[in-house]
Amino acid sequence: MGRPRAFDEDQAVQAAAELFALRGYEGTSVDDLVTGLGVHRGSLYKVFGSKRGLYLAALRRHLDHEVLPLTAALGAAGGLPGLLTRAAAAFDGGPAGGLLLSAAVERAGSDPEVGALVAEGLAALDTAIARATGSGTGTGDGDGEGGGAAGLLAATVLGLRLRARAGVGAPAAADVVAFADRVGPTG
């Protein structure tokens, strides 16, 4: 029988998610993680195997606790205008806000496991928008123009979130709704 773990794994993963969201994967060193999580380097490697293993656990946790619950709740946001407004304000938010978008930019193209997690989060947003527009799954996989329109609206939401993360002024939610009206009826 081994010694009991000296730290709470879920709390450590959450703290790591916040560090990775703030600094990115490459900008977060193992020393940063050891200090920020308050765990010994050996314990970190024993539980997560590597910095990448911890990063994957942090991204999975962010999806499960922030991204997917939000996208599941978007359907109750009061039609497409409400959905777009809420998504523009909160998608990829929470304590590790921006981690999904950071992963998309920094790691998804070179790490298939990160790419799969990013794709899962983005597909959830596409699906929520497609359901609000009554246009299929939103994946664009043969579901006609509606899937494409949902994808365009999702891309607009992601662009707004990136602009907000960069501290650049973003169009108001009303502008997003006006754009949605040009793509298809919103109400």
Side-chain angles (χ1 to χ4, degrees):
M1 181 173 182
R3 290 187 323 187
R5 197 166 287 149
F7 66 95
D8 182 304
E9 186 175 325
D10 188 58
Q11 287 179 354
V13 171
Q14 176 58 38
E18 293 174 27
L19 280 173
F20 285 128
L22 182 65
R23 300 178 183 176
Y25 180 82
E26 295 297 334
T28 305
S29 69
V30 172
D31 286 340
D32 293 334
L33 293 165
V34 167
T35 301
L37 279 55
V39 300
H40 294 285
R41 181 181 301 263
S43 298
L44 190 146
Y45 281 110
K46 182 177 181 181
V47 173
F48 301 105
S50 64
K51 174 183 160 184
R52 180 181 173 272
L54 177 55
Y55 183 78
L56 290 170
L59 186 54
R60 176 80 260 165
R61 188 186 193 292
H62 181 59
L63 277 172
D64 291 343
H65 290 261
E66 303 295 338
V67 174
L68 299 178
L70 174 82
T71 54
L74 285 176
L80 188 57
L83 181 150
L84 292 174
T85 301
R86 185 164 180 206
F91 182 75
D92 192 22
L99 181 58
L100 183 69
L101 293 175
S102 172
V105 172
E106 187 180 18
R107 305 282 305 161
S110 61
D111 186 324
E113 288 184 74
V114 172
L117 292 171
V118 168
E120 181 181 345
L122 298 182
L125 178 61
D126 288 350
T127 298
I129 292 173
R131 286 186 180 140
T133 61
S135 59
T137 63
T139 61
D141 295 333
D143 56 356
E145 287 181 36
L152 289 172
L153 291 172
T156 301
V157 167
L158 297 175
L160 291 171
R161 296 297 296 163
L162 280 173
R163 291 178 66 97
R165 184 173 167 94
V168 178
D175 294 333
V176 177
V177 174
F179 174 72
D181 274 334
R182 284 187 219 135
V183 174
T186 59

